[in-house]
Amino acid sequence: QVQLIESGGGLVQAGGSLRLSCSASGRTFNRDTMAWFRQAPGKAREWVAARRWTGAPGYYVEYADSVKGRFTISGGDGENTVALQMSSLKPEDTAVYYCAAQPKEKRLRILADYDYWGQGTKVTVSS
């Protein structure tokens, strides 16, 4: 059974930091494109960040403008995990955060291009 599980969500004050982690099982995701999306109540799910396997020396990463400079996506080589380090958090970052994976090279920002999804972890940023 293929499964992605997010963890690390919680309540944090504006300006604070939080680290989310996504652990995968059932298959190897190390060479997949891995991404984070988020969804606020009543809003569409939006793309946040992605990490694409490029072979040596590692990965290509890309971020949404709204989080660029504040969020960092990472994952250890050979590990079925991907993390999202969030800093300088704002109330507008409040959402359920989901990790997702593509086994093939597709578009980074398009929700429908991802094949596997986690259940989400809730992040609440208070002012």
Side-chain angles (χ1 to χ4, degrees):
Q1 181 173 259
V2 176
Q3 191 170 19
L4 300 176
I5 301 176
E6 303 95 335
S7 62
L11 175 65
V12 64
Q13 290 187 316
S17 299
L18 208 59
R19 181 180 174 87
L20 306 183
S21 182
C22 175
S23 298
S25 62
R27 66 180 296 275
T28 300
F29 293 86
N30 293 334
R31 295 187 178 185
D32 288 19
T33 295
M34 303 292 295
W36 289 92
F37 289 76
R38 66 186 182 186
Q39 187 168 23
K43 303 292 181 64
R45 194 169 299 185
E46 65 174 349
W47 175 79
V48 174
R51 181 197 69 174
R52 170 171 283 163
W53 167 259
T54 60
Y59 300 89
Y60 168 78
V61 298
E62 190 170 311
Y63 300 93
D65 289 342
S66 60
V67 306
K68 192 174 297 182
R70 300 189 298 118
F71 290 11
T72 302
I73 187 171
S74 64
D77 287 346
E79 298 180 6
N80 255 6
T81 61
V82 61
L84 186 69
Q85 178 65 47
M86 306 183 294
S87 300
S88 301
L89 283 163
K90 305 174 181 179
E92 50 263 46
D93 295 319
T94 295
V96 176
Y97 284 71
Y98 300 86
C99 67
Q102 304 176 358
K104 296 182 181 295
E105 183 176 322
K106 297 182 179 179
R107 295 169 294 181
L108 296 183
R109 304 168 182 245
I110 307 302
L111 184 150
D113 282 3
Y114 287 81
D115 299 280
Y116 303 102
W117 292 87
Q119 83 289 347
T121 185
K122 187 176 182 179
V123 173
T124 302
V125 184
S126 64
S127 59

